[in-house]
Amino acid sequence: MNAKEHISLTDQFGRVHDYLRISLTERCNLRCVYCMPEQGIVLRPKSQFMTTQEVIQLATHFVDLGVNKIRLTGGEPLVRNDAKEIIEGLSKLGVQLAISTNGILVDKFLETFKSAKIRSVNISLDSLNEEKFNSVTRRQEFQKVMSNIHTLLKENFHVKLNAVIMKGVNDHEIMDFINFTKNHNIHFRFIEFMPFNGNKWDWNKGLSYKEMMERVNLYFPGKVIKLEDKKNDTSKSYRIEGYKGTFAIISSVTNPFCDTCNRLRLTADGKLKNCLFSQNETDLLGALRNGADIKPLIYESVWNKKSVRGGMDTFEDLSNSDLNQKNRSMIAIGG
Ligand code: SF4
C-alpha cells in the first residue's frame, strides 16, 4: 500500500492527521529564553515566506485532505500585518480555527476572533511574577498580557495558559499557577522543557511530569482530581476539588504521547513538518510556486512520519544534541 491510496492523511501507524498548525511568522515581540536563541535568528527576506494568499491556498489543500482544525502560531502570529486577512480567509474554510499567541496584541483582534469563530486562545505565560516574566521574555509586557487574559475571560473565550517549566526559573510557581485556576475558568498547562536549536537545552533544567505531580499531590493532598483526556490530547488534565479551572501537563520529554498524534505543521516559509521534532521537511511553498501538485507531497510526508518524536524514540536520542540540534529553533516552528 503506498502513500497515494489513503483517503485521509493516515501514516504507517494508522494515525489520522486532521489538525494543522500553521506558523505565520518567525518574528516575535518577545524574546523567550526557551524559544528564541540568545543571538536571535537571521531574519530572511519576505519573499521566502508565505504570502496571505499562499497561506490560504496551502491550508485549502490540507482541508481537502481531511484537516478539520487549524491553529495559528508563530513566532507571534499577530505581529503579521495581514494577520486579520489571513484569519478571515481561513475562517471561510469551514474548519475549527484556534490561535497560540503571547497575548500582547490580543485586544486589537477580539472582533476578528469573534467573526472568525475563534473561541480557543492559547497564551504563553511562564510566570505570574512581573519581574520573572520580564526576565524569561526579555521584554516588559507583563501588565498588557495579564489584562488581555482577563479581557478574554470576560468575553468567554476558552483560554489555555502555557508555561514551560524550568528548574530555578519558574518551577517554584507551579502552585501559584494552579491557584490561579481557583477563581478563573482557565486551563493552565505545564510544558516539559524541550530541546530545540539554540535554546541551550539541558534536562537538568527540566522538571518531569512525575516530579510535577509529586509536588502537586504533596501540596493538595487528596484534592487532585484526574480528568478524562480526549483521544488526541497532548496533555494530562486535572482539577483541584472546588476550583473553577483546570491544569494539565504536556510531557513530550519523559512521557511522549505520539501514539495518538494527529498534528502536522506548516512553517512560515511553507515547509511541511510531519512532527514537531522531524528533521526532514517538505517544501510545499516551492512546489506551489512552481505549479506542482501539492497533495502527493503531503501524502508522502505523512506516510513517512516516524512513530515517536521524529525518530528520537528514547530519552537518550532526544538528549543527543547531534540529533536535537538538527531541528529548527522553536521560534521557527511555532510549537
Ligand atoms: S513529538 Fe511528533 S509525533 Fe509525537 S506528539 Fe509531538 S508532533 Fe506528534
Side-chain angles (χ1 to χ4, degrees):
M1 198 188 287
N2 68 31
K4 289 194 187 58
E5 288 163 355
H6 288 273
I7 48 172
S8 64
L9 293 173
T10 307
D11 66 21
Q12 295 179 61
F13 309 97
R15 297 173 295 192
V16 176
H17 296 76
D18 53 14
Y19 176 11
L20 177 67
R21 299 171 66 99
I22 305 178
S23 166
L24 293 187
T25 179
E26 295 181 350
R27 294 171 185 271
C28 187
N29 43 5
L30 289 181
R31 293 284 178 275
C32 303
V33 291
Y34 54 81
C35 177
M36 173 78 86
E38 190 134 17
Q39 71 283 9
I41 60 167
V42 179
L43 292 177
R44 294 177 282 155
K46 208 170 172 194
S47 60
Q48 294 187 16
F49 295 96
M50 296 183 287
T51 63
T52 316
Q53 278 320 308
E54 287 167 339
V55 171
I56 296 162
Q57 280 175 292
L58 287 173
T60 306
H61 282 289
F62 283 94
V63 173
D64 291 347
L65 295 173
V67 160
N68 54 34
K69 179 177 178 182
I70 293 177
R71 177 174 293 279
L72 300 179
T73 68
E76 168 49 39
L78 300 178
V79 298
R80 254 189 90 141
N81 302 337
D82 58 350
K84 191 167 178 292
E85 287 80 8
I86 290 174
I87 291 171
E88 284 165 357
L90 293 175
S91 70
K92 299 191 178 78
L93 298 181
V95 297
Q96 184 197 345
L97 262 188
I99 191 162
S100 293
T101 165
N102 60 29
I104 296 168
L105 300 171
V106 156
D107 52 311
K108 297 189 174 49
F109 285 83
L110 286 177
E111 294 318 310
T112 304
F113 289 171
K114 287 178 189 168
S115 49
K117 297 192 177 54
I118 289 181
R119 299 309 303 171
S120 165
V121 180
N122 289 12
I123 294 189
S124 312
L125 185 72
D126 300 298
S127 181
L128 288 165
N129 169 286
E130 178 155 10
E131 214 182 308
K132 178 64 70 178
F133 176 96
N134 295 345
S135 74
V136 171
T137 62
R138 297 182 276 204
R139 293 291 183 275
Q140 328 278 320
E141 297 286 359
F142 180 75
Q143 297 303 340
K144 188 70 190 295
V145 171
M146 291 310 291
S147 101
N148 279 340
I149 289 170
H150 289 293
T151 302
L152 286 168
L153 289 173
K154 246 186 279 138
E155 300 270 349
N156 294 319
F157 281 85
H158 177 63
V159 181
K160 294 179 195 168
L161 299 180
N162 292 341
V164 175
I165 304 298
M166 294 170 281
K167 273 187 200 146
V169 176
N170 59 358
D171 63 315
H172 61 285
E173 290 191 64
I174 291 175
M175 306 320 151
D176 302 337
F177 293 149
I178 294 176
N179 281 327
F180 190 73
T181 70
K182 185 171 186 177
N183 302 317
H184 298 102
N185 183 16
I186 211 160
H187 193 54
F188 224 126
R189 305 185 317 162
F190 311 140
I191 303 173
E192 288 183 342
F193 181 31
M194 294 178 276
F196 291 101
N197 191 289
N199 73 351
K200 296 199 172 76
W201 184 80
D202 168 0
W203 185 237
N204 293 318
K205 294 185 213 160
L207 198 70
S208 71
Y209 161 58
K210 186 166 170 290
E211 289 168 309
M212 291 188 219
M213 286 314 295
E214 277 163 5
R215 292 187 186 188
V216 172
N217 285 309
L218 210 58
Y219 189 91
F220 297 100
K223 295 201 176 314
V224 183
I225 302 162
K226 178 74 188 81
L227 302 174
E228 197 190 332
D229 299 314
K230 293 193 289 306
K231 178 168 171 276
N232 300 121
D233 275 358
T234 58
S235 58
K236 300 164 184 69
S237 300
Y238 301 85
R239 182 193 301 279
I240 301 301
E241 199 180 298
Y243 281 30
K244 269 191 183 163
T246 64
F247 70 94
I249 297 172
I250 299 179
S251 56
S252 304
V253 175
T254 63
N255 196 309
F257 33 84
C258 304
D259 50 348
T260 59
C261 184
N262 64 334
R263 292 167 293 282
L264 298 171
R265 288 167 172 84
L266 185 60
T267 61
D269 56 353
K271 306 281 191 325
L272 171 57
K273 286 176 72 70
N274 58 26
C275 164
L276 176 61
F277 293 105
S278 61
Q279 286 150 25
N280 305 325
E281 302 178 350
T282 304
D283 182 7
L284 298 184
L285 183 58
L288 183 77
R289 289 178 176 174
N290 296 335
D293 188 359
I294 302 289
K295 291 189 173 66
L297 297 174
I298 299 174
Y299 274 131
E300 206 65 40
S301 169
V302 172
W303 187 250
N304 295 322
K305 179 168 179 165
K306 299 278 189 334
S307 62
V308 176
R309 292 188 301 218
M312 295 187 283
D313 298 35
T314 64
F315 176 78
E316 289 65 36
D317 292 340
L318 185 71
S319 309
N320 177 349
S321 57
D322 293 341
L323 296 176
N324 65 43
Q325 291 304 297
K326 283 205 185 107
N327 196 3
R328 295 174 176 229
S329 60
M330 174 58 103
I331 187 94
I333 302 172

